[in-house]
Amino acid sequence: MLDGKSDKEAPLFTARDAARPGHAPAEHPKVPREKVGVLVANLGTPDGYDYWSMRRYLNEFLSDKRVIDYSPVVWQPLLQGVILTKRPFSSGAAYKSIWNEEAGESPLMTITKSQTEKLSAALEARFGGDVMVDYCMRYGNPSTVSRVRRMVQEGCQKILFFPLYPQYAGATVATANDQFFRALMKEKWQPASRTVPPYFDRPSYIDALAASVERTWGAAETPPDMLVCSYHGVPQRYLMEGDPYHCQCQKTTRLLKERLGWPDDRITTTFQSRFGPEEWLKPYTVEEVARLAERGVKRIAVCAPAFSADCIETLEEINEEIRESFEHAGGQSFTYIPCLNDDDAHIAALEETIVENLAGWL
């Protein structure tokens, strides 16, 4: 979908620089000048926080077999019945609490647009008009299919697809790539394509994370006693089945600790956003912050290195639910460190990653 329209209804885009090939007959269609596309992708966002917008978004998200891999025979009746009857109300209330009312969109959308604009300016300065940068969402609008189609129509004969997740997980990077490949299947003239691998251990990304932590520590009258690196969780079973996400999260924390020059007991790794009855990666953030408070750790800061942009899981879950758990257990000072978002150091790290993966194309 694109801006609320289905893919079939999405408008056709005509490249401004399209021209008929030399020596071609008069009836030959115009062909746009060849470009390279860079398509960044994020998780997605509902179009609004009303019931039906939330229901459409949750249905697409929770029907993804990469996210919920239970048998559809068991899962779909439960999803279409109890879950999608009740959950749009609670999720809608959570989105309403963080919604960018001025822009009429979620913060994730606002930030992703800004990231795309900055990356586009940086790559234009480096390569001129030979690169087209755009964004898409795995769930909701604008869809991956519609943005791939637009890039092809604008002359992108090569597309670099960049899921904005530092660490790899089947439920994030893999499903985004799946959707990109499905979009390519719809194209008559299919562009050459590449996908960007995870950047969880890239020095420029670690440096950007460290700088955000150092700013928080430097601005505090009394620095926090501990930094909690809270990553989005996945079922423990996924680790046992070969998903590298847990290991990559642990390495990100270790590299961040080493870059900061901190001892082991000043930083910890936790996992949030548990869903369903089975065991997920531990320790759970909401429980661990309470344990820290009960052990006498009165001041903590929490960052979310698995998210490239602030979203419902950071602005609402961390800054409200997890904060409440810490304070209820006796914690006195809770600081949320925003995601890297469109920070210049983050954009520079993303640009560096893109340029490296464009090698040989430009």
Side-chain angles (χ1 to χ4, degrees):
M1 300 176 74
L2 175 64
D3 301 328
K5 298 181 179 180
S6 70
D7 292 322
K8 290 182 178 180
E9 295 170 329
L12 294 176
F13 297 92
T14 302
R16 290 180 296 275
D17 52 6
R20 188 175 295 106
H23 309 294
E27 66 272 15
H28 193 288
K30 291 184 177 181
V31 178
R33 181 174 64 83
E34 182 179 347
K35 307 179 190 69
V36 172
V38 175
L39 184 58
V40 298
N42 219 318
L43 177 73
T45 170
D47 295 325
Y49 49 76
D50 60 282
Y51 176 84
W52 289 108
S53 293
M54 289 305 313
R55 184 176 176 116
R56 283 192 299 272
Y57 174 74
L58 291 171
N59 182 50
E60 184 181 8
F61 176 45
L62 297 176
S63 292
D64 185 350
K65 288 278 288 181
R66 289 278 196 180
V67 175
I68 306 291
D69 63 356
Y70 302 146
S71 167
V73 175
V74 175
W75 175 243
Q76 280 297 321
L78 180 62
L79 175 64
Q80 301 301 327
V82 176
I83 295 174
L84 290 181
T85 298
K86 296 181 177 181
R87 186 153 181 161
F89 291 108
S90 58
S91 294
Y95 268 98
K96 184 177 181 180
S97 72
I98 65 164
W99 201 253
N100 181 347
E101 295 288 358
E102 182 178 349
E105 61 192 20
S106 74
L108 176 66
M109 180 69 77
T110 304
I111 294 164
T112 303
K113 286 179 178 178
S114 180
Q115 291 171 328
T116 304
E117 289 168 2
K118 289 189 173 185
L119 284 172
S120 181
L123 292 172
E124 183 176 1
R126 185 186 288 263
F127 298 117
D130 293 332
V131 177
M132 174 183 178
V133 183
D134 208 341
Y135 72 95
C136 65
M137 298 294 176
R138 171 60 185 89
Y139 313 105
N141 297 313
S143 72
T144 306
V145 170
S146 66
R147 294 300 174 145
V148 167
R149 179 153 299 165
R150 178 154 77 176
M151 283 190 155
V152 170
Q153 291 167 345
E154 289 282 359
C156 294
Q157 295 183 19
K158 301 179 179 72
I159 298 178
L160 178 69
F161 185 68
F162 191 176
L164 292 181
Y165 306 101
Q167 299 81 18
Y168 175 96
T172 55
V173 174
T175 189
N177 287 341
D178 289 346
Q179 194 71 352
F180 174 58
F181 300 142
R182 280 191 284 265
L184 293 176
M185 291 170 64
K186 295 177 179 291
E187 294 306 319
K188 183 75 70 179
W189 185 354
Q190 192 177 70
S193 62
R194 294 175 180 171
T195 61
V196 177
Y199 56 99
F200 65 98
D201 56 355
R202 181 174 286 272
S204 55
Y205 161 69
I206 298 297
D207 286 345
L209 276 180
S212 70
V213 173
E214 289 169 339
R215 283 195 296 270
T216 297
W217 255 249
E221 267 188 45
T222 304
D225 302 314
M226 193 166 201
L227 174 65
V228 176
C229 295
S230 180
Y231 298 83
H232 196 289
V234 297
Q236 175 74 15
R237 171 171 52 86
Y238 290 9
L239 170 61
M240 299 299 103
E241 292 171 350
D243 193 305
Y245 178 69
H246 176 266
C247 300
Q248 293 185 2
C249 292
Q250 295 287 356
K251 186 171 183 180
T252 295
T253 300
R254 175 175 64 79
L255 292 174
L256 176 59
K257 178 198 69 176
E258 292 171 358
R259 166 63 177 76
L260 291 167
W262 285 4
D264 291 347
D265 61 0
R266 201 173 182 187
I267 188 169
T268 189
T269 297
T270 63
F271 298 90
Q272 64 181 85
S273 308
R274 180 168 43 134
F275 177 81
E278 68 179 305
E279 184 174 316
W280 282 40
L281 296 178
K282 291 183 177 179
Y284 302 138
T285 305
V286 70
E287 296 177 359
E288 184 64 16
V289 297
R291 280 194 290 268
L292 289 173
E294 290 163 359
R295 292 207 316 259
V297 179
K298 299 302 181 184
R299 297 181 300 277
I300 66 170
V302 179
C303 66
F307 298 92
S308 63
D310 275 307
C311 54
I312 193 72
E313 286 87 357
T314 62
L315 299 175
E316 196 276 335
E317 185 178 359
I318 290 180
N319 215 16
E320 295 182 24
E321 178 186 345
I322 291 169
R323 175 192 292 271
E324 183 180 335
S325 176
F326 177 69
E327 293 175 347
H328 183 74
Q332 296 174 357
S333 175
F334 181 101
T335 302
Y336 171 60
I337 301 175
C339 293
L340 295 177
N341 295 327
D342 62 352
D343 179 80
D344 288 345
H346 188 211
I347 297 301
L350 297 179
E351 180 192 0
E352 174 190 87
T353 306
I354 289 168
V355 171
E356 180 180 294
N357 282 273
L358 287 174
W361 274 6
L362 290 164

